[in-house]
Amino acid sequence: MTSFYSLLVLFSLVSLALAKTSPRPILQVTKDAKTLQYITQISQRTPLVSVKLALDLGGPYMWVNCERGYTSTTYTPALCGSSPCQLLNTTSCTTGTTCQPPVPDCFNNTCGHGPDNTIANTGTSGQLGADIFKIQSSNGKNVQTALTVPRLYFICGSNFINDGLAAGVTGMAGLGRTGASLPAQLSSYFRFDQKFALCLSSSTKSSGAVFFGEGPYTLLPNVDASSSLTYTPLIINPVTPSGFLGDASPEYFIGVKSIKVNEKRVSAFNQSLLSIDEEGKGGTSISTARPYSVLETTIYKALVAAFVKAMPKNVEKVANVAPFGACFSSKNIGSTRLGPAVPSIDLELESKNVWRINGANSMVEAKKDVLCLGFVEARTDFAPTIPVVIGGHQIEDNLLQFDISASRLGFSSSLLGRSTTCANFNFTSTV
């Protein structure tokens, strides 16, 4: 009996070690210079075709434009009432002409779901199907042999919702909090805990990454970015973006309790906006579909006023450059390892930890000799459902680990302080 338990313990330790060392999926992510969208690439179908997708952190699933010549001998529609349809919590059932072999635009008894383009804010109807899916892999330090999923489910989109995406992009890679997102499907197939880490490069000439599974997440020069994470709970919003109660939002929310500029609290707005109410309104989400953080009007105006007041007196305020509301001459702004020497912005979190936003993530070079505060005001023609949306610029060169299993976010704050960036993962070597 003793030897049996010894073997069991040994097997468990070996399994844990294999889970940490086995190759795990990874996405290489580039920033499109024209649209500022974050773009990745996977391979899909038989024969394999490279597909460019816009990264959608809060997207519920992957969708692909099937009107752009989708041809595959391994495409399989998801039949109404099947387990894949239940993952999407959809009761929609589409009937039509049956084809052999099945193709995306010829379907019968196929469950439907409406894919959304969260960048252009458009949506349409579509069908759920599956196909072969191939993705790069990593050991946390280097790229490894590509991994294949024989059947990964996605939604077929159309030309209508493709409008507004970067050139060559034909869909979106949803990383959201659902059973059909890429993190959920990949963790289920490869049997690792449902977590992933996002590390976006601030440069349009180099790549960042999405690491699936546990760390290490090693960046040159041999910096494990996961070794210094601070944690805060991920909050579930019980209402979807379309307003349906009971089907939780796929977006990632964190509890921001207050906002500070140079360690002074910004108070000139209704603080209750920072909390999610029973209708799903309020709170703070994180998004890759927005290039800059988007703030409800009163929060935006209060932050801008506090930031302008905290700026050194010898820094000249200049004419604003759209879409920004506070711009400055850069001539008297110094440079630090963490970016321009400007007032810090702190998000005080529910965990009592602080997410500090320094100059590299708060300022944008809008034109020569002009730096602008890189936050934008939400549309004023209707009240935004989410008053604070943390956008791409504010999370670049930060490592964010979304641990869905433990319902927590790990964040590094700027990696510039550790003399590395998100562009420093080694995508060129397999050694």
Side-chain angles (χ1 to χ4, degrees), residues 50-92:
S50 293
V51 181
K52 283 187 176 182
L53 304 170
L55 203 66
D56 186 5
L57 177 61
Y61 39 69
M62 181 176 88
W63 68 261
V64 174
N65 184 352
C66 293
E67 291 184 350
R68 297 271 181 98
Y70 193 105
T71 302
S72 175
T73 60
T74 47
Y75 174 81
T76 306
L79 300 181
C80 298
S82 63
S83 297
C85 299
Q86 293 170 15
L87 284 177
L88 290 175
N89 196 24
T90 179
T91 56
S92 173

Side-chain angles (χ1 to χ4, degrees), residues 277-349:
D277 65 20
E278 64 277 2
E279 296 180 348
K281 298 177 181 178
T284 300
S285 69
I286 307 172
S287 173
T288 56
R290 301 289 171 258
Y292 307 104
S293 292
V294 182
L295 308 180
E296 180 272 341
T297 294
T298 61
I299 300 176
Y300 177 76
K301 289 182 177 179
L303 176 67
V304 168
F307 194 85
V308 170
K309 183 178 179 181
M311 266 290 195
K313 301 301 181 187
N314 65 337
V315 174
E316 179 188 2
K317 194 172 186 301
V318 298
N320 292 334
V321 179
F324 308 113
C327 295
F328 309 87
S329 167
S330 62
K331 292 180 180 179
N332 289 327
I333 297 177
S335 181
T336 75
R337 186 168 61 167
L338 298 175
V342 296
S344 60
I345 298 174
D346 289 340
L347 305 180
E348 288 196 318
L349 304 175

Side-chain angles (χ1 to χ4, degrees), residues 184-197:
Q185 293 196 62
L186 292 174
S187 64
S188 176
Y189 184 79
F190 292 109
R191 299 183 182 277
F192 54 77
D193 287 343
Q194 193 173 334
K195 67 175 64 173
F196 66 95

Side-chain angles (χ1 to χ4, degrees), residues 21-24 26 135-147 425 429-431:
T21 58
S22 298
R24 299 176 300 280
I26 186 172
I135 187 172
Q136 286 182 286
S137 79
S138 159
N139 61 2
K141 295 183 177 181
N142 310 97
V143 288
Q144 305 284 291
T145 304
L147 300 172
F425 181 75
S429 173
T430 59
V431 178

Side-chain angles (χ1 to χ4, degrees), residues 113-144:
H113 204 281
D116 293 314
N117 179 337
T118 54
I119 292 172
N121 292 317
T122 56
T124 187
S125 59
Q127 287 73 44
L128 180 65
D131 215 329
I132 285 178
F133 176 90
K134 195 170 185 178
I135 187 172
Q136 286 182 286
S137 79
S138 159
N139 61 2
K141 295 183 177 181
N142 310 97
V143 288
Q144 305 284 291

